[in-house]
Every structure is written in C-alpha cells, then in structure tokens.
Amino acid sequence: MTRFLTACAVFLIYTTVSAQQNNPLAAKDARAQKQWVDSVYNTMNLDQKIGQLFMPRAFSNQGAAHKKELDSLVAKYHVGGIIFSKGGPIRQAKLNNQLQDQAKIPLLMAMDAEWGLAMRLDSTYAFPWNMTLGAIKDNKLVELTGKQIAQHVKRIGMHMNFGPVVDINTNPNNPIIGNRSFGEDKVNVTEKAIAFMNGMHSAGVLSSAKHFPGHGDTETDSHKTLPTIDFDIKRLDSVELYPYKRIITEGVSSIMVAHLNVPTLETRSNYPSSISKTIVTDLLKEKLQFKGLIFTDALEMKGLANSKEPGDADLAAFLAGNDILLISEDIPVAIGKLKEAYYEELISEKRLEHSVKKILSAKYKVGLNDYEPVNETFLYEDLNTISNDVLYQRLMENAVTVVKNNKAILPIKRINKKKIAYVSLGDDDGSAFLNQLNKYTTVDHVTANHLDELLEKLKNYNYVIVGLHKSNDSPWKSYNFTDKETVWLYEIARNNTTILNVFARPYAMLDLKTNTNIEGIVMAYQNSEIAQNVTAQMLFGAIDAKGKLPVSVGLDFPVGTSYETKSLKRLSYGLPESVGMNSYKLKKMDSLINITLEKEMTPGFQMLIAKEGKVVYNKNFGYHTYEKTQKVTDSSLYDVASLTKILATLPLVMELEENNTINLNTKLKDILPQLSKSNKKNITIKQMLSHYAKLPAWIPFYLHTMDTVTKRASVKYYRDKSDSNFNIQVAENFYIRNDYNDSIYKEIADSELRSRLAYKYSDIPYYILKQYLEDYYGNSLHTITQDHFYEPLGANFTTYIPLNSFSKEQIVPTENDTLWRRQVVQGYVHDQGAAMLGGIGGHAGLFSNANDIAKIMQMYLNGGYYGGQRFLKEETIQKFNKTYYKDKEVRRGVGFDKPQLDEVGPTCGCVPMSSFGHSGFTGTYTWADPDNNLIYIFLSNRTYPFASNRKLISEDIRTKLQRLIYEAIDY
C-alpha cells in the first residue's frame, strides 16, 4: 500500500491535465440529444440496459449458424452494438441491415479499420500503415487519410473506427504493434493521431485511441499472453501516457483499454489493466478526466482470458469502469453475472445509467436517432474510387525517406554516364519498381544462383539499385533480411556503388551489422505497387524526397533522420486527379478509341497525356498489325515520321543558335557554300523553318531511281546485297549506291522555287539542315542527337536505325510497300527520301515511343531543362516558338507547328496560341501547351498495310481526342 500511495503521489506530479474536459460524445444539439437519451433509457428494462454494454463480433463470411447466433444476441440479449470482422463489403452491408432491423434500439456498429476497411474486408482499399504515415511531415495529409477511411467506414454503415493507434513503438521487437504505430517519437505520434482523429470526426465517425495505457514497448502479444509494462511512473507519464493527455483534450470519442500488466499502476500481481479500477477509473476517468466511451480490448484475448473465467472477466471489466465490453467469450453468461451483481447491489443503477447513457449519447451523435439502412447500390464502386489511389500516391510521395545520401548520390544524375543494375532481395515481387525505373533509363535486372556469379555480372555496372521487397499483405508480415541476403548485400556494396531501397518496416535495417559501403539508403516502408513506383520516381529526381524516419534504426539512423532531395524536373507518373484532370471525363475517349480500331483506321497506337510534368495517361491499344499477333506495349517503337523535325533536327539548330554559331537570319549560302550560287542562297533559316521560302513541298527522289520499263527499282542504283559501292541500306536486302546522296543534294540545290511567296509546308529545309549539321559536327545526325539529347535525357527508345538496338518484333511496321521496296517496311524508315539517305533524315527517320517523346516535349516545357541538366535556354525555345509571319497567314513557328489561324488546322482549335507541336505522315502527333503545362502524344501506324488508308486523318481522330483531353481538365 505504501508503494501504491507513493506511486500515486509521483503520478500527480508528472501528470498534468488541462481544465475540465468537454464531453466528446455531446452532439451539437445537446438539448435534443439529452431528451432522446433520457426518453430511450426510461423505456428500457434491466436486460436491455445490460445488453447495451456488449459488443459481439460479427463475420460476414460465415454461415447460417453464425447468423443465427447474432440474431439471438440482438433480439434476445439486446446487445448495444456489433464489431464487424472478416468478410466482404456487400455481405457485411446486408448483414448490417438485417441486424439493425431486429434491434429495438439501433446498434452502434464498429470495426477495426486502422488502415482502411481492408484491415478486415476483401474487395476494399488498404491505405498506408501508420508507420508510413508517421514519416510524413505534413499532418494535413494524415487528416485527409483519416477522413477518407472514415468516409468508407460510414458508407458501409459503421459508426466507429477503432483508431487511431497511439502506442509509441519504442521497442523494435514489438510483435503486435510495429507498423500500426506512427513511430517512437511521442510528439509525432500524438500529432499524427490527433490529425487522423480529426479527419474521422469531420466525416461523422467516432474515434477510439488505443491501447491504453500504452502497448508500444512490449515484446509479447496480448492476444496470446499478458505483456508487462515495467516502467516507473515518470517514464509512463512522459512517454506512454503523453498522447492520451493530448488526444483527450482534443476530443477523442473513446479509448480502448489494453490487457497489460503495469506494476507501477496496479499493485496486484499480473492483474490486467483492462479490469483494474486504478487504471480505468482512477487514472483514465478521474485524473485524465476522460468523459468519452471506454472500451475493453477483446475480452477473449489470452492477456485477460487466462486470468478470468467467461463472465467474471466481463463483470470485473465493468466494475473497473469500462463502458463497453468488447467480444465477450460468453455474452449470455456475462449478462447473467452482471444481473446478479446488480441485484446484489455490487452494480448500482447510477453506475449502469452512467455507461448506458454514454452509449446512447454516442448513438445519437452518429445519427442513430434517425437510423437509415446501408444503401447497397454501387457500394463496391463507392468504396473503390480513384480518389483512393490519388491519396495513397500523395501519401507515399511525402513518406518515402532518404536516410543516407553519401556524396549526394540521390537523386541519380547524368544517367548517360551510368550503367545501372537492379538486384531484388526479399520474398515479394519488385516488378513494379523495376518497370518504373526503366521509364527513366535502362536498368537491367541482374540475377544469379550464386554470389560469385552475381558479382561477376555486376562488374559491368557502375550503379546497383538493390530492393528489399517484403510482403505487403499485412503489417505483421516478416520484414527481415535473411542471413544470405545480408552477406550478398555486403558484397554487392563492397564492389559497387549501391543504393538500397527498403520496401518493408524500417527495423529491417537492424539486421545489417554495417552500412558503411552502401552509398544511399531509402526507406519506402511498404511494398505496394504505388510505393514502388513513387520510390523509383524519387531515385531519378522526378519528385522530391520529403519523409523523415519515424523510428530509430540503430545508432546510425536516429528517429527523424531525413535527407531532403529536390526534383530534377524529370517526368513523374500518377493519376489525372493529382493534376486537376478527371479520369471519368477521360473515359469519353474510349468510344473514339474503339471506333478507331473497329474501323481499321490503324492497327494500334500509343497514347500519352502529361500535365504539370506528370504522366497521367499512358496507354497502348490494338496490335502492331491487323493480323493481331503482337499487342502494342510501352516498348513498341513507332516510326514517328515528321516528328523527327522537332525531336531531332530542331533542338540541334536551337543549340547552334544560342551559342551564336547561327541565327534566325543566317542565310543558306553562309552555312552551305554549295548553295552560294543557287536560287536558295539568300533564304534565311527563319524563312525556311517557317515554311515561307518558296521551297517545294517535297521531291520524289526515289521515282528517279525506278526502271521505267520494269517499274521496279533500277539495278543501276540498287543491289540486294551490300558491297563496296552499294552499302547504304534502304531496307531489308535493299542497298543504294553510295554516291546517290550527292545526287539528292544536287537535285535540291538545282530545284526550282515556287513562283509565289506564300506558306507552303516543305520537307526540303530539313534535308538542307541535315547536310549542314553533319558537316558542322563531322558526324551523323544519329550520333549527334544521341550525344546531345537522347542519352542525357534517358530517351533510350529514341533512335535512328532501330534494328541496331532493338529486335524487329519490337518495331511496329509502317507499310507493305509493293511499288519500290517490295516488302513490309519494318525496322527501316518509311519515308523514301530518308531511306535513301541510309535511314537518317533531318525530316524523318526517327523511331521512338510515347514515353520518350514526352521527355523531349517536357524538356521544352521546362524551358530547356530536364533531369538536372540544361539543354537549351528558355528564351531560345520562345524564339523558335514564335510566329514571325502571322500577318502573311503563316501559322508556323520556326520549326514548330502552331495552332490554326482560322477554322482548319493541326489542332482541336481548343489550345492556346502558345502551344506547339507537329504531326507525322505515319499517323503520329505530339503537342505541348505551356499555358496548361500539358503534353499530348499519339503514335500510330495508320499507313499499314497501305499508306492510302487516310481514315485516321479524314476523321480527325487525333485532334478529336485532343479536344476530349481538354474537356477533362477540371482546374
């Protein structure tokens, strides 16, 4: 007794409670609430009053026997509420409505949905675990999570979510809390819990802080045994009880009392806290002045059940001060025990009234005075909206934490100087991570059965990204490295520059005896697909690293460790709603897409939308050909035709202009002496690239090489095998004379100009610029573009002569050419002129995919900056994006196509004049809009099998889709 009195005295010193606490169960219309509570209570008999104290568990995935038992508990024993457990949303809604129909007093429905309904139900959404949320610095996001979960809870007919968990997880070996905690820092845990609670309250759902007085520093599970919290009062008051004092002040609806042995607070040996009057009444209700509902943890748990018989535990819990007895082992027996205690005056009417009226007040607060059943229509759809993924991604973007960043290895820069390997550890899938990594540059998945084999393979790489992927099924799954994995990791890091990504609980790092040789360490916390995608984006500088470590991981990584990194303005990836677009409005494109395929306007296509630097739509449709043997995928390569002009030639010209090698008024005679005596000598670069220079639209060079008798390619100019005189490859087994390119350039020089100066789109400027650029740099356009742009951008799918780097099957065919090449053109440029130049043209010849083109277009929108590197000056891009001859009815910029000046033109007519882009003969299109920071890309092979198929053009499919994209912008 002396020890107890001393403890209480010390407790009073260290426990501070603010002024009288408000009643968290009070409704806004308190007078009406009291009238309803009193009127209901006054109609109740003793059985009904005692029944209100019980909350049995219900499963919606069990059979008739379970349903019959529940019917009895509701109708015969008058239980006050139900805690739902395993099952499915539709089944639970039906069961919920059935049970409510049988109840004379509406039931208070509750469930554990700490990270969403998926904690208990299939076909529902799982949000990040609390440990992940604990890494987020912006508590408004945690509040949004609480609100979103509460909206799901409410939609399915629940009135209470047993959360937030406020346990402070100071023990890494805690078997039951762990990821369910917001971390080990008491202030962070408390602020996160309050934010989460406020979010739930804003949606009209009751909260429950748990597990009082604190389950965070235990090494045993109270489901299986009675854990001991053996700390002095100072420690308990300053750590375990800290969040309760704060959250009570902030209005938490209820508190759940755990089954714990706390010798400092309860002198009886191994006496569970849940049945301790000292803890429940003296501490929680009186000293902490808590006026909300008090729940026991499940009474069936071994932490209590091992010490008390069924019914006795319930009585002891009620006498200790609890209001609601959760998951009793035997409710009929327990009710009998409580009735007996009532008649023996061990339980007074006042004591019973106190709890029952609190329960009724809670029911009124959540609207059970005007009960409505759950509407089962569209329930699944309402619980699984895209807003869930939008929030999840936003949470992960703010949670992912860099805890080590030696020599600023993160974000990864200069990717053209890196050869990167990915090594997967753990027992779960990392394919989403690898796929996302490869959207930035080539990252090879390296595997081996033996360590020495792996190390030998890794010698070819200067960066190794390691992912520890552990199951994301539940927060209790194993998170540890195996002994083999730690050895492999040590050796990888000893030999290679290494970035470790932990897609598991941070405590996994405790398995490592050293991290000395690991240059970068990233905590991703979970192995969900979104977590993997976001982490890959952060590694490459598409997004900032913002998170902070919510727990300590050894001496090297104390709680709060955080290295913030800044975006390198690479493309990120997400959902339309994250940038103010509407996914449901974008679905309007589906019918147009289906028509495009059904009417055989093209065999297939890629389509991409990016807004605000984020790719929000990147889909593939149809097949490479109408034979439908190979589907279009992200890695399918398209001949982009005239998009080559603004993706290859134009950026090189802009480079030379901004370093003063040329300017817009430079004349052709000054860059190509061979034109100094031609009729083109005084044409300027500005005139030529604005298509205002009297140049012919095109010259059919290939027709001059046809045999007029056989109507086939003349043997004078072509061979089916390469030799010393015929080694410029036009197509498969088709080689042109080495000197014919001189004939092409001579024909251009000698060609007549058009008689009238007016706008006329022409390919000729890009033949001229190809010749100039290759002469200036002493290299091919292919090599120049790779060195200057594509490799530094990570545009690894963008290339001339694709068969040098990619398999034929990966490249989409463009035409079955029955006239000149007499073959299916696949892997070789479709444009005849570019083909005669060996596949490398200034106007055509480039192959790419939508993702790569988006990188180049985003570089333009970023003002010439991308991936931490400046490629062009912003003022240079603006100079070339200007219409200099608008008064002459020329819509074009310098190289860039621009919106129409009247009714007809290259766009939907719904884009601003600042926008720019280009289209291509094979059915390609790209457009960038600086005002809305929006990119649209459409790649198809509408020319297959025959270029005469113009349905895609005549139906304006590309621009009709563009209009629908703009209609999908909400803000």
Side-chain angles (χ1 to χ4, degrees), residues 127 133 138-152 192 194-200 202-203 387-388 390-392 394-395:
F127 289 91
L133 300 182
D138 183 358
N139 289 334
K140 282 292 182 183
L141 293 175
V142 180
E143 183 174 339
L144 284 175
T145 308
K147 182 177 182 179
Q148 188 91 339
I149 290 173
Q151 287 171 340
H152 291 182
K192 295 290 187 296
I194 291 170
F196 193 94
M197 174 194 74
N198 287 338
M200 289 201 296
S202 70
S387 62
N388 297 335
V390 173
L391 177 57
Y392 195 119
R394 194 175 172 194
L395 294 171

Side-chain angles (χ1 to χ4, degrees), residues 121-140:
L121 301 181
D122 62 37
S123 307
T124 56
Y125 201 82
F127 289 91
W129 302 319
N130 285 348
M131 184 73 76
T132 308
L133 300 182
I136 297 171
K137 296 175 184 176
D138 183 358
N139 289 334
K140 282 292 182 183

Side-chain angles (χ1 to χ4, degrees), residues 75-258:
K76 182 177 179 180
Y77 293 100
H78 314 292
V79 295
I82 301 289
I83 174 173
F84 279 91
S85 190
K86 296 292 185 180
I90 305 298
R91 289 168 290 168
Q92 180 168 311
K94 292 181 183 296
L95 181 57
N96 176 88
N97 289 343
Q98 291 166 3
L99 294 175
Q100 288 283 22
D101 284 345
Q102 296 183 54
K104 293 181 180 178
I105 300 168
L107 299 164
L108 186 69
M109 298 300 197
M111 66 185 300
D112 287 305
E114 294 168 18
W115 56 88
L117 298 179
M119 184 174 177
R120 292 290 183 256
L121 301 181
D122 62 37
S123 307
T124 56
Y125 201 82
F127 289 91
W129 302 319
N130 285 348
M131 184 73 76
T132 308
L133 300 182
I136 297 171
K137 296 175 184 176
D138 183 358
N139 289 334
K140 282 292 182 183
L141 293 175
V142 180
E143 183 174 339
L144 284 175
T145 308
K147 182 177 182 179
Q148 188 91 339
I149 290 173
Q151 287 171 340
H152 291 182
V153 166
K154 190 172 185 178
R155 178 64 182 86
I156 205 167
M158 302 295 100
H159 311 111
M160 170 175 282
N161 178 15
F162 285 115
V165 174
V166 299
D167 298 317
I168 299 168
N169 205 83
T170 51
N171 189 335
N173 297 319
N174 193 316
I176 190 60
I177 304 302
N179 274 327
R180 299 168 67 198
S181 167
F182 291 110
E184 73 172 60
D185 178 82
K186 65 181 183 182
V187 175
N188 186 47
V189 168
T190 303
E191 289 177 350
K192 295 290 187 296
I194 291 170
F196 193 94
M197 174 194 74
N198 287 338
M200 289 201 296
H201 289 177
S202 70
V205 170
L206 301 177
S207 57
S208 186
K210 61 186 184 183
H211 306 82
F212 187 82
H215 207 321
D217 199 345
T218 65
E219 293 194 12
T220 54
D221 178 0
S222 55
H223 291 82
K224 301 174 181 178
T225 188
L226 182 66
T228 296
I229 305 291
D230 197 9
F231 300 116
D232 63 27
I233 193 66
K234 182 177 180 180
R235 155 63 193 257
L236 289 172
D237 183 65
S238 63
V239 178
E240 276 73 15
L241 294 175
Y242 178 88
Y244 289 99
K245 290 183 283 185
R246 289 273 312 276
I247 204 165
I248 287 171
T249 302
E250 295 294 332
V252 69
S253 311
S254 72
I255 287 175
M256 180 183 286
V257 184

Side-chain angles (χ1 to χ4, degrees), residues 36-37 39-45 47-52 73-75 77-82 99-109 159 356 359-361 363-364 368-369 371:
W36 184 84
V37 168
S39 65
V40 173
Y41 186 83
N42 291 336
T43 66
M44 297 168 70
N45 59 35
D47 287 341
Q48 292 171 326
K49 292 175 184 176
I50 293 176
Q52 289 296 300
L73 291 173
V74 172
Y77 293 100
H78 314 292
V79 295
I82 301 289
L99 294 175
Q100 288 283 22
D101 284 345
Q102 296 183 54
K104 293 181 180 178
I105 300 168
L107 299 164
L108 186 69
M109 298 300 197
H159 311 111
V356 174
I359 294 166
L360 292 174
S361 294
K363 292 184 176 185
Y364 184 93
L368 282 172
N369 58 307
Y371 162 73

